[in-house]
Amino acid sequence: MADTEEPGRSWLLRLVIAFAFAQGAVSMARPAVSYRALSLGADERAIGVITGVYALLPLFAAVPLGRRTDHGRCAPLLPLGVVLIAGGCALSGTAGSLPAMAAWSGVMGLGHLCFVIGAQSIVARQSAPAEQDRNFGHFTIGASLGQLIGPIAAGYVISERDGALARTSALALVVSAAVAAASFVSLWRIEHRTARDARAAARADKVPVGRILRNRGVPAGIFISLAVLSATDILTAYLPVVGEHRSIAPATIGLLLSLRAAATIACRLVMTPMLRLLGRTALLTTTCLLAGLLCAGIALPVPVWALATMLAVLGFCLGVGQPLSMTTVVQAAPAEARSTALALRLTGNRLGQVAAPASAGVIAGVVGTAAPFVMLSALLLAAAGLGMRGGRARTADATPAVPAPSPVPRSELPAVNQNRT
């Protein structure tokens, strides 16, 4: 009987709580890593490299982990991810060199990948098709809660007064490790355990990656997710650098990042009515387009209140892309390879997290700190174009050809029709 025991209706709530703690730890650690690297003498290019290494290990691990999840249980990846996140945070706080910080940042990124693949696969597997937009939206509220609380906590702990930046940024990283460990409190009975033969699942055919990518909707979903996550990632990593150049205190930067996350939460709370009103294609296209324009606006030397306003609207727009891209990929992929498709989406995310910050670091070192936000603007505008094109293609595919009615022999008509006067 234990093999068919289900976790009840609260599994999604517990998953959201666990994700909030794990994401909160990462969101607290990412600005802390930037500040600690600055205290160790890093410039904009070094910040870009360290931010990119966070995604380097996940770039190679995503697809193997997705294939493993397609043919087995998802839940074991969650505690493994928490352990790697906590270890990466704590060891980044004790590292005394930039290469060591980059390495532990990579461990942190690998842990985050493990957690997210396991969690997204659970949502995809345990949600009916009609519930996927809603459940993925609720699931990503956990990420937004973490992104709301993490930067505030980092800004509160980190101080650069009296040359304390190295010590306080290290403390913030150790605290973030403790926050990650707190997610263990809700990692129980989240996954449905079925009586399916595990050995038969292990023998299931692996769907080639090329076949998954050829499914219409998968590449567009991957690119939209890449663009949106790159925007969130570079904002988290480079807003502290912008603050240093514009003399904005770390606590204020933390509040600005949390304001963006709060707007993202607000967006996901009203996702269902927005979908009913606009539809998926129009909602994705409009929000990516507006987000691209706002990212370009951040490059301007505006006052703090104007920066806060832009970040709030930007956060609301960025809240749409991630959950809807998850649903797009899951519904477009073959049923037996949904976890692998989600892993490919995460591979795209991590590729963006490697390439975008590294490119941003080079651009910022040559042109200035405003240039990465212009690059983000171009990415998001391209995502808006892809979303519009993908929506048109889906509409065309959804219009079936109506066959000509075949004549029915009179002898096959019901008797009641033959005798009708």
Side-chain angles (χ1 to χ4, degrees):
M1 293 295 293
D3 287 338
T4 59
E5 187 177 5
E6 295 185 356
R9 297 174 64 86
S10 63
W11 65 269
L12 183 58
L13 175 61
R14 293 198 302 277
L15 188 60
V16 169
I17 292 170
F19 195 21
F21 279 114
Q23 186 64 54
V26 172
S27 297
M28 184 177 183
R30 300 299 299 284
V33 164
S34 294
Y35 280 117
R36 181 156 176 79
L38 288 170
S39 74
L40 295 175
D43 58 11
E44 288 89 348
R45 296 180 187 180
I47 296 290
V49 171
I50 291 172
T51 304
V53 171
Y54 169 85
L56 191 60
L57 286 176
L59 186 61
F60 299 103
V63 171
L65 285 172
R67 289 206 183 281
R68 177 225 169 268
T69 307
D70 271 324
H71 304 108
R73 296 184 61 215
C74 312
L77 286 178
L78 304 184
L80 174 62
V82 171
V83 169
L84 291 174
I85 291 171
C89 290
L91 292 167
S92 293
T94 58
S97 67
L98 296 179
M101 286 199 67
W104 295 123
S105 181
V107 171
M108 189 197 316
L110 182 61
H112 188 258
L113 174 82
C114 290
F115 190 98
V116 171
I117 284 183
Q120 288 183 6
S121 298
I122 288 173
V123 176
R125 192 174 289 179
Q126 297 181 181
S127 302
E131 298 174 339
Q132 285 177 347
D133 278 330
R134 184 197 66 192
N135 285 357
F136 276 124
H138 289 170
F139 166 69
T140 52
I141 287 174
S144 299
L145 284 170
Q147 291 166 356
L148 170 66
I149 297 168
I152 291 178
Y156 180 78
V157 174
I158 298 170
S159 172
E160 53 186 348
R161 294 179 182 175
D162 304 321
L165 187 60
R167 177 178 57 81
T168 56
S169 58
L171 176 62
L173 286 163
V174 174
V175 171
S176 66
V179 172
S183 63
F184 279 117
V185 299
S186 62
L187 288 181
W188 50 277
R189 293 183 63 212
I190 284 177
E191 185 177 21
H192 291 269
R193 301 186 64 184
T194 65
R196 152 177 106 160
D197 185 354
R199 286 174 298 180
R203 290 195 299 266
D205 292 335
K206 292 181 179 179
V207 180
V209 169
R211 180 185 156 196
I212 297 172
L213 291 174
R214 283 194 296 272
N215 280 266
R216 179 169 288 168
V218 173
I222 289 173
F223 185 84
I224 291 168
S225 180
L226 180 155
V228 170
L229 188 68
S230 294
T232 304
D233 211 51
I234 290 179
L235 277 172
T236 303
Y238 272 87
L239 210 57
V241 180
V242 170
E244 285 290 299
H245 282 263
R246 299 184 190 177
S247 300
I248 304 173
T252 305
I253 292 295
L255 287 171
L256 290 173
L257 288 170
S258 296
L259 176 65
R260 182 210 61 77
T264 299
I265 294 174
C267 168
R268 288 166 181 170
L269 289 173
V270 296
M271 182 83 71
T272 301
M274 286 196 300
L275 281 167
R276 290 198 195 106
L277 180 65
L278 297 175
R280 184 182 297 168
T281 300
L283 187 58
L284 264 175
T285 303
T286 303
T287 52
C288 285
L289 179 63
L290 186 53
L293 297 175
L294 288 166
C295 278
I298 292 174
L300 302 174
V302 296
V304 172
W305 67 264
L307 186 60
T309 303
M310 286 192 290
L311 284 169
V313 181
L314 178 60
F316 191 91
C317 293
L318 293 177
V320 171
Q322 292 290 61
L324 293 194
S325 68
M326 291 178 202
T327 306
T328 298
V329 169
V330 165
Q331 293 184 354
E336 67 274 21
R338 286 174 176 168
S339 292
T340 304
L342 286 169
L344 285 169
R345 174 185 165 276
L346 290 171
T347 301
N349 287 353
R350 296 307 186 257
L351 181 62
Q353 286 180 301
V354 171
S359 302
V362 172
I363 294 171
V366 174
V367 181
T369 56
F373 299 102
V374 177
M375 181 189 75
L376 283 182
S377 176
L379 266 179
L380 288 164
L381 292 176
L386 261 181
M388 182 181 295
R389 197 172 100 180
R392 287 175 179 168
R394 282 193 298 274
T395 301
D397 288 346
T399 306
V402 180
S406 56
V408 180
R410 187 173 180 82
S411 60
E412 294 182 11
L413 292 173
V416 66
N417 288 341
Q418 295 181 42
N419 298 326
R420 183 175 294 165
T421 58

